[in-house]
Amino acid sequence: MRNTFGNIFTLTTFGESHGAGVGGVVDGMPAGIEVDLDFIQSELNRRRPGQSKITTSRQEADQVELLSGVFEGRTTGAPIGFLVRNQNQHSQDYENLRGLFRPSHADFTYYNKYGTRDHRGGGRTSARITISRCVGGALAKLALRQLGITINAYTSQVGPIQLQRDYRQYDLSLTEQNAVRCPDPVKAQEMESLIAKMKSEGDTIGGVITCVIKGCPVGLGEPEFSKLHAELGAAMLSINAVKGFEYGDGFDCVSSRGSEQNDVFVPSTPPQTLTNHSGGIQGGISNGQDIYFRVAFKPVATILKEQRTVDINGEATTFCAKGRHDPCVLPRAVPVVEAMAAMVILDYYMLNRTIIL
């Protein structure tokens, strides 16, 4: 089982949804970075359950403990171990799932690969494991902050309710002003109402998160393998419930002509392009423009409706999920998207040159 992400800046995660806790080890963190523990905790608070009426009601403080790699408020260059303890598990809610495979979950594939599985909340395949990603991403953001690189994600679509694709039309500072994490207050209210409706019906809904990276220097990524957009795509597709990734104009560009799609250079020092249809990456290498991409999330697979399925012997059965679940994963996934982007950018920065902060 592969539990480590990254090349030089790496994150190794551990834990299960209903185990004692979730944690990890960050290695390759540059020495001398000031550690803002309040900021790290705030990133976890954005992801934690129970934060609004449109998220799961599971109540977890998600308080992070840094165990190593920090001395007198700064990183030492040594591995940073951390732990977030689970405190509000309702494992009994999952007892009826012990011997069956839930539709569109990892139950069947995990069981067939490993010969065993933790049926309590999905165990290792649970979205609760993204706690570790948010801590790793927060540490990466602290390093990127000194490089002038910022990362902002937001909910741009829930079901059929969507924003315009051009992120420049919105004030992204408004993203955290509502429970959906959408920078358009009017659309945010519509999205929240739809999510609340799904929750009342025991159903779920999917959507899209848009992410914008500003201040990224020219030269990150490789022209053959290890293209920057390929690594960003792999990082996003590793997040629970993600079904699609596109950067720049993405699939919309197929209806354009080359004369319309090309990002034409204009005289400047350093050279700049008139447009940014490429999404800040050309030939697998960052070009200094804003990097922007979209991540599609499916509806949460756990619904509170009776469903048909089979047990581990292949016999037909029915079940109805119990417990506390998100009717839409997007509001809590926004910080996870940012975290994965931050770790990719810092890792590729360190791969590209000897980092001096």
Side-chain angles (χ1 to χ4, degrees):
M1 185 183 296
R2 180 167 172 78
N3 298 298
T4 299
F5 176 82
N7 299 282
I8 294 178
F9 180 93
T10 66
L11 169 68
T12 301
T13 71
F14 65 83
E16 294 82 29
S17 176
H18 285 240
V22 175
V25 176
V26 168
D27 205 357
M29 180 72 179
I33 303 296
E34 184 176 352
V35 176
D36 184 344
L37 190 57
D38 288 338
F39 171 73
I40 297 172
Q41 186 60 52
S42 71
E43 293 293 273
L44 281 176
N45 292 346
R46 296 170 69 206
R47 194 225 69 94
R48 73 175 179 84
Q51 59 185 275
S52 77
K53 64 182 181 181
I54 59 170
T55 65
T56 171
S57 60
R58 179 172 176 172
Q59 293 295 320
E60 293 279 4
D62 285 354
Q63 193 73 35
V64 64
E65 304 172 42
L66 298 186
L67 307 177
S68 62
V70 179
F71 178 66
E72 296 183 340
R74 292 186 179 272
T75 58
T76 65
I80 300 175
F82 61 88
L83 174 65
V84 173
R85 300 180 188 276
N86 292 331
Q87 299 176 326
N88 191 228
Q89 310 97 308
H90 287 182
S91 299
Q92 68 276 7
D93 290 341
Y94 298 88
E95 193 56 35
N96 66 323
L97 308 179
R98 179 183 290 272
L100 55 80
F101 300 129
R102 295 169 296 171
S104 292
H105 285 76
D107 299 349
F108 174 77
T109 51
Y110 194 105
Y111 182 79
N112 276 269
K113 181 175 178 66
Y114 296 106
T116 185
R117 71 179 178 92
D118 185 344
H119 65 281
R120 304 167 303 166
R124 186 65 179 154
T125 65
S126 169
R128 183 154 178 78
I129 310 305
T130 57
I131 283 174
S132 300
R133 300 174 184 225
C134 285
V135 176
L139 289 166
K141 281 185 177 182
L142 291 174
L144 293 176
R145 182 186 294 176
Q146 299 196 27
L147 298 170
I149 300 172
T150 62
I151 300 172
N152 295 102
Y154 62 93
T155 299
S156 55
Q157 182 173 349
V158 173
I161 304 167
Q162 57 185 307
L163 305 188
Q164 297 297 317
R165 291 176 64 95
D166 187 352
Y167 64 89
R168 295 170 299 179
Q169 296 185 29
Y170 301 99
D171 179 358
L172 301 189
S173 68
L174 299 178
T175 299
E176 295 295 318
Q177 300 303 309
N178 54 75
V180 187
R181 296 198 161 88
C182 171
D184 183 325
V186 175
K187 292 288 186 180
Q189 185 58 55
E190 294 178 20
M191 293 174 178
E192 185 170 346
S193 296
L194 177 57
I195 296 171
K197 182 175 185 292
M198 293 297 102
K199 184 175 183 179
S200 69
E201 295 175 358
D203 217 331
T204 62
I205 193 75
V208 175
I209 290 175
T210 297
C211 186
V212 183
I213 304 172
K214 291 181 174 290
C216 187
V218 179
L220 303 193
E222 301 293 331
E224 177 57 19
F225 302 110
S226 297
K227 288 178 168 66
L228 182 58
H229 60 267
E231 189 64 22
L232 283 169
M236 298 308 142
L237 289 165
S238 75
I239 301 171
N240 306 59
V242 169
K243 288 295 185 180
F245 170 85
E246 64 173 4
Y247 74 103
D249 282 2
F251 286 99
D252 276 5
C253 74
V254 302
S255 59
S256 301
R257 300 183 180 187
S259 57
E260 299 170 318
Q261 189 67 27
N262 286 349
D263 292 319
V264 177
F265 285 99
V266 293
S268 63
T269 304
Q272 299 286 325
T273 56
L274 189 62
T275 56
N276 187 21
H277 299 297
S278 299
I281 303 171
Q282 291 169 325
I285 303 170
S286 61
N287 64 12
Q289 302 291 323
D290 291 351
I291 296 171
Y292 63 95
F293 57 85
R294 289 158 48 90
V295 186
F297 287 78
K298 71 173 183 176
V300 177
T302 300
I303 61 175
L304 302 182
K305 294 174 176 285
E306 186 173 86
Q307 299 178 79
R308 294 178 298 168
T309 190
V310 297
D311 61 24
I312 59 175
N313 299 313
E315 299 294 328
T317 186
T318 61
F319 81 103
C320 185
K322 303 176 183 178
R324 305 156 298 175
H325 307 282
D326 286 288
C328 179
V329 73
L330 274 80
R332 296 175 59 213
V334 166
V336 182
V337 167
E338 290 182 1
M340 296 307 295
M343 289 191 285
V344 168
I345 296 300
L346 180 58
D347 190 33
Y348 269 55
Y349 186 93
M350 297 175 74
L351 281 168
N352 200 54
R353 67 195 72 186
T354 302
I355 191 167
I356 301 175
L357 295 174

